[in-house]
Amino acid sequence: MRTANSVTELEASVEKRIQRLARAMSEAKIARRQLQQAIDSINEGFILYDQDDRIVLCNRKYRTLFPELADILHPGTGFIDIIRKAAEVGVVAEAVTDPQAWIAARVEHHRQDWSQFQQLLSDGRWIQISDRKTDEGGTVTIVSDITHFKRL
């Protein structure tokens, strides 16, 4: 049988754990906000996929580079959904002529441990895409607008 004193000690212990958990959650929220601000400040498009190929983070520049896809560029969206929509709306010049071949090639690049290639967009811009696997099995994709360099 528990005494009133042991119940009070148990309640105090639970309260301390709840406070520690609340602090940890607050710190995690702050860290995530700082990370988002950091990736939003870079000049390249940045997107992080988890091991299931679903968006974890995406920066503003990526959305700016692909305004036709902005409505689906949010956490949880799958990589395959993004490239299918890109093909469907004609973002990439190559995808307009043969969408299935472009999708297959893009998936192949994305599956490699490291991949870098250039692509002509339908609006005449050139981009360089770099995909790199993370230690956890996700993928980081960096997209740079290289139009200026291609026109030199």
Side-chain angles (χ1 to χ4, degrees), residues 53-147:
D53 265 342
R54 301 206 169 279
I55 294 176
V56 175
L57 292 169
C58 178
N59 73 352
R60 282 191 289 254
K61 182 64 175 187
Y62 195 95
R63 288 180 181 89
T64 301
L65 287 168
F66 305 107
E68 309 89 343
L69 307 177
D71 63 323
I72 65 167
L73 295 176
H74 52 77
T77 301
F79 170 76
I80 193 69
D81 299 321
I82 295 167
I83 63 168
R84 281 187 183 138
K85 181 164 183 181
E88 181 182 301
V89 299
V91 172
V92 178
E94 184 182 344
V96 172
T97 56
D98 191 349
Q100 293 308 319
W102 177 78
I103 288 171
R106 184 65 189 97
V107 167
E108 180 59 32
H109 280 289
H110 186 77
R111 287 184 178 155
Q112 296 175 18
D113 285 343
W114 184 82
S115 170
Q116 188 173 61
F117 60 98
Q118 297 176 357
Q119 230 168 26
L120 175 63
L121 301 182
S122 296
D123 65 7
R125 290 180 295 143
W126 280 92
I127 59 172
Q128 180 168 290
I129 300 171
S130 300
D131 289 328
R132 185 175 302 271
K133 291 295 181 198
T134 67
D135 291 341
E136 295 80 27
T139 305
V140 172
T141 298
I142 304 290
V143 179
S144 304
D145 185 336
I146 60 168
T147 306

Side-chain angles (χ1 to χ4, degrees), residues 20-38 57:
R20 281 197 303 262
L21 179 60
R23 246 188 333 272
M25 289 173 64
S26 177
E27 291 170 2
K29 187 176 180 181
I30 290 167
R32 184 175 177 91
R33 186 171 55 242
Q34 289 173 329
L35 177 60
Q36 187 67 54
Q37 289 171 350
L57 292 169

